[in-house]
């Protein structure tokens, strides 16, 4: 059996600290799948490295999803598309800039 080094296991474990999960707040039968009762209250739990601990309380699945999956506040900037030379062919090469020529 190939055992992984303890340091790699510890790094993997440390990376999980702070993760959040939503658990339906039910008394009978224990936690169930999130999709079964979307209007049920939820407990948001946080992994502390040893156990899941209560983090906050929300009224339904929609609020839980807003906490678990926040929308990005800023769109990532992309590089501008290169300018293509004249012509209509599919395989046109990008136009060379003056800095590239000289």
């Amino acid at each position: 059996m190939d055992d992984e080094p303890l340091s790699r296991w510890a790094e993997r474990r440390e990376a999980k600290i702070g993760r959040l999960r939503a658990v339906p707040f039910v008394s009978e039968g224990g936690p169930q799948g999130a999709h079964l009762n979307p209007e049920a209250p939820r407990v948001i739990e946080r992994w502390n490295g040893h156990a899941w601990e209560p983090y906050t309380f929300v009224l339904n699945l929609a609020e839980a999803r807003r906490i678990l999956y926040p929308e990005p506040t800023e769109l990532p900037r992309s590089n501008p598309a290169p300018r293509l030379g004249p012509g209509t062919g599919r395989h046109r090469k990008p136009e060379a800039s003056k800095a590239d020529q000289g």
Side-chain angles (χ1 to χ4, degrees):
M1 177 186 278
D2 294 330
D3 290 335
E4 74 176 316
L6 185 58
S7 60
R8 286 191 19 215
W9 174 83
E11 286 174 12
R12 228 180 43 246
R13 184 173 179 228
E14 296 274 327
K16 295 178 183 179
I17 293 177
R19 285 191 180 177
L20 299 176
R21 74 175 183 180
V23 179
F25 192 67
V26 295
S27 57
E28 74 280 340
Q32 299 175 356
H35 66 285
L36 295 179
N37 194 356
E39 295 305 316
R42 303 288 199 273
V43 175
I44 305 294
E45 296 178 334
R46 182 179 177 272
W47 180 251
N48 67 10
H50 301 285
W52 291 98
E53 61 186 12
Y55 180 72
T56 190
F57 182 79
V58 294
L59 296 177
N60 56 32
L61 180 59
E63 287 185 33
R65 286 185 174 163
R66 280 195 287 273
I67 292 172
L68 297 177
Y69 313 109
E71 292 195 22
T73 56
E74 187 176 306
L75 294 175
R77 294 184 182 186
S78 63
N79 294 334
R83 293 188 55 199
L84 299 177
T88 59
R90 279 178 35 189
H91 304 288
R92 292 182 291 166
K93 293 185 178 180
E95 196 174 77
S97 67
K98 292 180 184 180
D100 293 340
Q101 293 174 355

